[in-house]
Amino acid sequence: LPLKQWYQRRVRAVVDIAGLVRGASEGEGLGNAFLSHIGSCDAIFSMMRIFEDPDVSHVDGDVDPIRDTETIFHELRLKDVEYLTNNIEKVAKIVARMGDKDKSC
């Protein structure tokens, strides 16, 4: 393979974007900043903490990987709905303007 194709196929950046909490889609925690970083990713993978450590605090007070997973995916779904709603509204405005142009012809 040419070097460029080899590079494009094998290089991936993995970035830890910490800070997603319940209510992030409404601005809690790092909120929309976190979710906007996620929006620029090509793929997402999750790692959940499953160990107790008194020196490492948890935003909900205790470690519960199932709850944490549900929180993350719930917040991502809410952000997806917001994104789609905004785009539907934009398209509806464009279609309405196109309809107005057709009526004036």
Side-chain angles (χ1 to χ4, degrees):
L1 289 173
L3 181 60
K4 184 177 180 181
Q5 287 178 339
W6 178 89
Y7 180 80
Q8 288 173 335
R9 290 176 133 185
R10 287 169 176 75
V11 175
R12 301 290 181 257
V14 176
V15 179
D16 177 13
I17 307 174
L20 186 64
V21 297
R22 189 174 298 105
S25 59
E26 298 170 357
E28 294 295 321
L30 297 177
N32 291 320
F34 171 89
L35 293 165
S36 68
H37 291 301
I38 289 288
S40 65
C41 295
D42 293 325
I44 301 170
F45 71 90
S46 301
M47 280 176 45
M48 298 300 143
R49 175 177 156 194
I50 60 170
F51 63 90
E52 294 283 348
D53 184 339
D55 295 329
V56 181
S57 65
H58 190 284
V59 69
D60 289 326
D62 63 334
V63 175
D64 183 343
I66 293 172
R67 178 200 57 216
D68 295 344
T69 301
E70 289 170 349
T71 296
I72 288 171
F73 289 115
H74 177 72
E75 293 299 327
L76 292 173
R77 278 191 301 275
L78 290 175
K79 195 62 177 181
D80 284 346
V81 168
E82 178 186 316
Y83 175 80
L84 292 171
T85 301
N86 290 340
N87 281 315
I88 289 169
E89 291 170 359
K90 288 177 189 176
V91 170
K93 288 178 185 177
I94 292 169
V95 169
R97 282 194 300 255
M98 292 172 61
D100 291 342
K101 289 180 184 177
D102 288 342
K103 291 178 186 175
S104 65
C105 291

